[in-house]
Amino acid sequence: MMEEAGTTDILETRRYILSRRIERAKNVRVRVLERRGLKCEGCGLEPIEHYRYEGPIKNIPLDVHHTKPIRELSEGETRRYQIPEDFLVLCPTCHRMIHKQKDEADIDLLKRSVSFFHSKKIPRQF
């Protein structure tokens, strides 16, 4: 497990395993996407429109972000996550950027820092 977590620290390994268990729960991702929508809440990217994505919801190129980070759980602490209230739907770029903010739940700060928006339809050119 420590090798998979990329650390020899037992607390870090525990947090990693815990987060993988919660983040990878099969039903959570699809339920959040269905309830919050298939659009990045940071920049407005809509994979169905902007990428012409046609696959199943479970494979859509959007991430589900915890607004209450799992890694902040203390030893023995448990937390019940509410769907969809405790999650955001973000494109991979916005997901990466929100993790660089001081407050990883502040969607308004993320929106203010985004200088591009996926709001126009761009003609397909191949």
Side-chain angles (χ1 to χ4, degrees):
M1 282 193 247
M2 289 180 165
E3 185 177 311
E4 181 183 343
T7 182
T8 56
D9 182 271
I10 263 202
L11 289 178
E12 286 298 315
T13 301
R14 180 190 162 280
R15 286 187 182 122
Y16 174 81
I17 298 301
L18 230 164
S19 71
R20 296 285 294 183
R21 189 175 304 145
I22 294 169
E23 288 175 8
R24 303 297 178 218
K26 291 178 184 179
N27 63 341
V28 171
R29 175 179 160 72
V30 172
R31 286 174 54 204
V32 171
L33 289 168
E34 288 173 345
R35 293 183 185 176
R36 291 197 75 92
L38 303 177
K39 178 179 180 177
C40 175
E41 295 179 58
C43 69
L45 173 76
E46 295 182 64
I48 292 171
E49 179 181 341
H50 299 117
Y51 294 152
R52 302 208 179 9
Y53 178 79
E54 296 177 350
I57 290 176
K58 69 179 184 174
N59 294 334
I60 199 159
L62 291 169
D63 296 341
V64 171
H65 171 72
H66 292 85
T67 57
K68 298 174 183 176
I70 295 168
R71 72 174 174 282
E72 293 178 2
L73 291 175
S74 301
E75 182 70 32
E77 180 183 357
T78 58
R79 180 179 291 158
R80 291 191 69 87
Y81 287 89
Q82 301 297 312
I83 297 172
E85 296 82 8
D86 292 336
F87 298 89
L88 294 170
V89 173
L90 300 170
C91 69
T93 301
C94 286
H95 193 188
R96 190 168 191 175
M97 292 311 296
I98 205 166
H99 278 284
K100 297 184 183 302
Q101 296 179 173
K102 184 174 182 179
D103 179 358
E104 294 179 20
D106 191 344
I107 189 67
D108 293 324
L109 175 60
L110 178 66
K111 286 179 181 180
R112 287 191 307 271
S113 68
V114 172
S115 63
F116 65 91
F117 290 93
H118 297 279
S119 59
K120 297 182 209 172
K121 274 196 170 183
I122 300 170
R124 194 176 216 179
Q125 296 177 3
F126 289 99

